């Protein structure tokens, strides 16, 4: 759909903590839209950035929710991701218990927070631990994966027709209930299953699976993977060689999850996504040791072809290493897939990757395990409260939450760029037509030879072009300056003048162009709008626009002379 200014203006919502929060009786259903190659999640008719936090796995109970909300508030998160447990939802076959859904809906509204609900159904981290007891006690019918040696594995079989039917029924009941119980659209998205796939066996070796594996590869998979077999009717091994088994398992699981998703979506068309337990994107593994069959980057086309009711394939990023992290973001930011990070570590040295994700138009970001249910028994305000594990995310969200709507809108319009410090603290250049924004890390004087560096890579920057010569700039532990475009190359070739006491300049069409700041406004976002506080000049701008670990937002106009 085309998002016009009229659509964006027609919000009909009230403001809460700088974020639009609909209080109308029936709001539009959240939806994912694409325009000019960019995605946005529309909430109340306008682009929305999910600043999320995922609770611990066993937190969505009336007894534990009181230990969740204070953390969400401390974080300035606008969305809680929390599970719905199949075992709780359908304790007896065909009898659905909506109490947990209703409780979390009511409490989320009381706390002015949106929800992403995680359907812990057939798969949870590759296992079937959240199936109701009546299913666990009938393993013949609700069968497990069989490994190559004929042993049963702790993973549900994607060929278990009874499990598929049961999951479809339960998921549909859940989605139907959401439709009826949530006209306010507290719930933004639903995750179907959790980290699907299998550890310990690359695929299912049950008789039905073996027969299909020896049969022809379905035409939609050939198309998705760009294969035209020499022999018509070629089987999986002939077409895909060493990767045949993992592709086959991905096909089987995507088909199953695709059916569950389609059934639920027919009841209530909320955006749906699946999350992936990753493999190292830099070193593809054959044979497979990672969780096989889930939406890992190597099988994205298979999932897209086989599960079209799923809107987004989303990476759970727990990889250590800047290169791995950034590569993963890149692999899931595709023309056919909006970037969404539903789980990540939230550790101090990884908080900067929120900005990397924003630089790829992420629709949401959500570190995992951010509540007070485990090992952290105290609440904020109590004398011995320990929020160290929350602080990196709280720092990010404290800055971005008040400006969330502007960030989402500017990103959807292609006017925003964001970036994070690399391990070598190298300077980064963001291109905005005539202007380059140059981001340096450390003391804000990195153009000088003896510049300070950050103690570890923590820096992050966000720049958005508000008009030809006007920019919104923010970040942490970095310095941002502007130069006429092309200056970077010219500096490298010796043509550019930069450094102590000199303005960034460029030789353009034989004439020197020097950057000058017309007006540098420091402000803060209140009720979703930038509020001017003071003009920065002198020591505060002579070395570029410097950002510390405090939340600071600058609106700057530049010109040349
Ligand atoms: C990824 C899973 O999706 C989460 O539910 C959780 O189990 C974390 N791993 C590990 O803490």
């Amino acid at each position: 759909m085309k998002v016009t200014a009229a659509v964006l203006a027609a919000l009909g919502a009230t403001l809460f903590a700088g974020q639009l929060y609909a209080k109308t009786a029936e709001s539009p259903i959240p939806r994912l839209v694409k325009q000019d190659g960019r995605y946005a999640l529309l909430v109340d008719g306008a682009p929305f950035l999910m600043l999320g936090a995922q609770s611990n796995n066993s937190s969505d109970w009336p007894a534990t929710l009181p230990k969740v909300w204070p953390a969400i508030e401390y974080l300035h998160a606008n969305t809680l991701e929390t599970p719905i447990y199949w075992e709780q939802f359908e304790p007896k076959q065909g009898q659905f218990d909506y109490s947990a859904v209703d409780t979390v809906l009511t409490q989320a509204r009381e706390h002015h927070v949106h929800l992403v609900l995680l359907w812990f159904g057939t798969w949870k981290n590759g296992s079937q631990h959240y199936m109701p007891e009546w299913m666990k006690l009938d393993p013949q019918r609700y069968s497990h994966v069989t490994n190559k040696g004929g042993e049963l594995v702790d993973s549900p079989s994607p060929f278990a027709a009874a499990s598929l039917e049961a999951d479809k029924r339960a998921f549909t009941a859940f989605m139907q209930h959401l439709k009826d119980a949530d006209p306010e659209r507290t719930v933004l998205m639903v995750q179907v299953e959790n980290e699907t796939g299998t550890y310990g066996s690359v695929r299912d070796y049950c008789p039905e699976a073996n027969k299909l594996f020896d049969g022809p590869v379905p035409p939609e998979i050939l198309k998705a993977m760009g294969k035209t077999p020499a022999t018509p009717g070629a089987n999986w091994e002939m077409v895909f060689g060493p990767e045949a088994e993992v592709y086959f398992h991905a096909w089987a699981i995507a088909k199953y999850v695709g059916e569950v998703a389609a059934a639920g979506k027919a009841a209530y068309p909320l955006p749906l996504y699946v999350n992936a337990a990753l493999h190292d994107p830099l070193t593809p593994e054959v044979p497979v040791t990672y969780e096989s069959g889930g939406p890992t980057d190597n099988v994205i086309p298979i999932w897209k072809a086989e599960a079209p009711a799923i809107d987004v394939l989303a990476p759970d990023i727990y990889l250590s290493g800047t290169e791995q992290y950034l590569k993963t973001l890149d692999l899931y930011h595709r023309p056919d897939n909006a970037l969404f990070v539903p789980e990540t570590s939230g550790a101090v040295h990884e908080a900067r990757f929120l900005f990397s994700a924003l630089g790829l138009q992420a629709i949401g970001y959500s570190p995992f395990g951010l509540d007070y249910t485990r090992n952290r028994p105290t609440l904020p305000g109590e004398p011995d409260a320990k929020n160290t594990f929350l602080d990196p995310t709280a720092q990010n969200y404290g800055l971005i939450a008040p400006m969330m709507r502007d960030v989402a809108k500017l990103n959807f319009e292609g006017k925003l760029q964001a970036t994070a410090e690399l391990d070598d603290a190298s300077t980064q250049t963001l291109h905005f037509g005539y202007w380059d924004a140059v981001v340096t890390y450390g003391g804000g004087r990195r153009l000088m030879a003896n510049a300070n560096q950050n103690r570890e890579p923590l820096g992050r920057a966000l720049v958005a072009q508000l008009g030809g010569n006007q920019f919104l700039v923010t970040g942490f532990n970095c310095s941002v300056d502007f130069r006429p475009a092309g200056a970077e190359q010219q500096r490298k070739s010796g043509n550019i003048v930069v450094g102590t006491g000199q303005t960034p300049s460029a030789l353009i069409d034989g004439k020197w162009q020097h950057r000058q700041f017309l007006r540098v406004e420091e402000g803060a976002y209140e009720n979703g709008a930038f509020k001017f506080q003071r003009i920065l000049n002198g020591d505060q701008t002579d070395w570029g626009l410097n950002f510390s670990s405090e939340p600071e937002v600058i609106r700057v106009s530049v010109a040349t002379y």
Side-chain angles (χ1 to χ4, degrees):
M1 104 165 214
K2 274 266 172 206
V3 179
T4 62
V7 171
L8 295 182
L11 299 175
T14 53
L15 290 168
F16 175 76
Q19 300 162 19
L20 285 162
Y21 193 85
K23 300 242 190 291
T24 48
E26 178 128 358
S27 304
I29 299 173
R31 58 197 190 123
L32 194 68
V33 292
K34 189 181 178 188
Q35 185 174 281
D36 301 329
R38 289 180 294 274
Y39 286 93
L41 179 70
L42 293 193
V43 176
D44 303 320
F48 182 93
L49 172 64
M50 273 184 269
L51 298 170
Q54 188 166 142
S55 63
N56 284 311
N57 286 165
S58 306
S59 293
D60 191 14
W61 292 94
T64 37
L65 280 171
K67 293 184 173 180
V68 173
W69 303 118
I72 296 301
E73 193 179 331
Y74 182 85
L75 290 165
H76 316 281
N78 60 30
T79 306
L80 168 68
E81 293 183 356
T82 196
I84 298 298
Y85 317 113
W86 191 0
E87 62 183 348
Q88 180 280 330
F89 185 73
E90 195 181 3
K92 293 207 174 107
Q93 189 167 13
Q95 287 181 20
F96 301 113
D97 176 353
Y98 301 108
S99 60
V101 182
D102 291 340
T103 301
V104 77
L105 276 177
T106 308
Q107 295 194 12
R109 289 175 195 139
E110 283 164 10
H111 290 88
H112 304 283
V113 167
H114 282 287
L115 293 170
V116 166
L117 295 180
L118 321 173
W119 174 244
F120 280 15
T122 300
W123 280 269
K124 164 69 173 79
N125 298 19
S127 75
Q128 55 202 58
H129 297 177
Y130 283 85
M131 279 186 182
E133 252 182 70
W134 52 268
M135 295 179 77
K136 284 181 179 154
L137 290 171
D138 194 352
Q140 299 293 338
R141 201 167 152 67
Y142 306 108
S143 51
H144 291 233
V145 160
T146 306
N147 71 13
K148 206 168 191 168
E151 296 295 321
L152 295 182
V153 175
D154 184 17
S155 187
S157 169
F159 299 98
S163 306
L164 172 60
E165 281 319 304
D167 199 340
K168 271 164 72 173
R169 264 198 313 276
F171 186 65
T172 305
F174 160 61
M175 292 297 284
Q176 181 62 51
H177 183 71
L178 273 190
K179 180 177 183 237
D180 300 338
D182 190 27
E184 295 95 328
R185 316 304 176 200
T186 299
V187 180
L188 302 181
M189 280 179 99
V190 168
Q191 178 186 293
V192 191
E193 318 295 342
N194 190 83
E195 292 194 346
T196 57
T198 299
Y199 290 104
S201 183
V202 66
R203 69 170 175 93
D204 197 347
Y205 294 84
C206 68
E208 189 188 344
N210 288 341
K211 195 163 155 239
L212 287 165
F213 187 70
D214 290 336
V217 177
E220 71 276 12
I221 299 304
L222 291 175
K223 190 166 168 233
M225 300 305 279
K227 292 280 184 185
T228 315
T231 324
N235 71 22
W236 288 80
E237 197 117 55
M238 289 158 76
V239 177
F240 295 119
E243 279 147 341
E245 300 206 289
V246 75
Y247 287 7
F248 175 80
H249 202 41
W251 164 73
I253 296 179
K255 196 163 155 42
Y256 182 120
V257 177
E259 277 195 44
V260 173
K265 205 167 205 170
Y268 184 31
L270 269 188
L272 302 177
Y273 75 96
V274 287
N275 60 336
L278 303 177
H279 67 144
D280 182 343
L282 301 178
T283 39
E285 297 163 49
V286 177
V288 164
T289 53
Y290 58 90
E291 187 182 22
S292 171
T296 44
D297 66 77
N298 50 337
V299 295
I300 287 175
I302 294 177
W303 271 82
K304 288 283 175 190
E306 214 54 58
I310 300 289
D311 299 276
V312 180
L313 309 180
D316 290 352
I317 315 184
Y318 295 97
L319 299 163
S320 56
T322 302
E323 222 185 323
Q324 276 87 348
Y325 205 110
L326 297 180
K327 180 73 184 169
T328 300
L329 293 178
D330 223 40
L331 287 166
Y332 283 85
H333 170 245
R334 299 164 45 111
D336 62 356
N337 197 59
L339 180 63
F340 172 43
V341 182
E343 286 185 42
T344 190
S345 90
V348 65
H349 57 283
E350 296 190 345
R352 65 198 156 115
F353 295 132
L354 164 65
F355 284 64
S356 311
L358 289 177
L360 297 173
Q361 291 103 42
I363 60 165
Y365 192 84
S366 183
F368 175 83
L370 301 192
D371 67 39
Y372 297 105
T373 59
R374 202 192 320 155
N375 305 328
R376 296 168 187 105
T378 52
L379 298 178
E382 294 175 15
D384 60 343
K386 299 271 187 300
N387 286 313
T388 317
F389 74 112
L390 298 176
D391 282 334
T393 304
Q395 184 194 30
N396 272 339
Y397 292 0
L399 174 69
I400 303 291
M403 58 194 298
M404 173 281 279
R405 285 289 187 177
D406 269 9
V407 168
K409 180 173 176 285
L410 289 162
N411 223 346
F412 188 43
E413 292 170 350
K415 295 176 180 165
L416 185 147
Q417 296 184 52
T419 189
E421 182 173 359
L422 299 178
D423 296 344
D424 65 0
S426 50
T427 294
Q428 296 161 342
T429 306
L430 310 174
H431 304 287
F432 292 92
Y434 182 81
W435 291 102
D436 283 344
V438 182
V439 186
T440 51
Y441 297 99
R445 297 188 175 201
R446 294 298 308 284
L447 297 178
M448 298 166 68
N450 61 350
N452 298 322
Q453 290 199 1
N454 289 332
R455 272 196 318 280
E456 51 180 330
L458 295 173
R460 47 214 126 134
L462 181 155
V463 182
Q465 194 162 26
L466 301 175
N469 299 318
Q470 195 188 39
F471 296 87
L472 185 72
V473 190
T474 190
F476 290 114
N477 305 100
C478 70
S479 177
V480 180
D481 206 338
F482 291 85
R483 293 191 189 125
E488 191 74 357
Q489 285 77 8
Q490 292 175 31
R491 182 168 66 89
K492 282 195 185 122
S493 65
N495 265 340
I496 182 77
V497 182
V498 287
T500 316
Q502 291 169 346
T503 55
S505 314
L507 192 57
I508 295 177
D509 297 332
K511 208 167 156 259
W512 280 104
Q513 303 284 333
H514 311 279
R515 184 276 293 145
Q516 61 178 328
F517 288 130
L518 289 184
R519 185 178 163 96
V520 181
E521 298 178 345
E522 187 182 65
Y525 267 76
E526 281 171 32
N527 296 329
F530 181 84
K531 285 272 170 343
F532 167 84
Q533 288 173 339
R534 61 171 175 160
I535 288 181
L536 298 182
N537 208 334
D539 290 348
Q540 279 65 57
T541 60
D542 284 349
W543 302 99
L545 311 177
N546 301 322
F547 295 90
S548 66
S549 53
E550 294 298 316
E552 292 161 306
V553 186
I554 286 174
R555 199 163 63 177
V556 56
S557 302
V558 283
T560 51
Y561 62 91

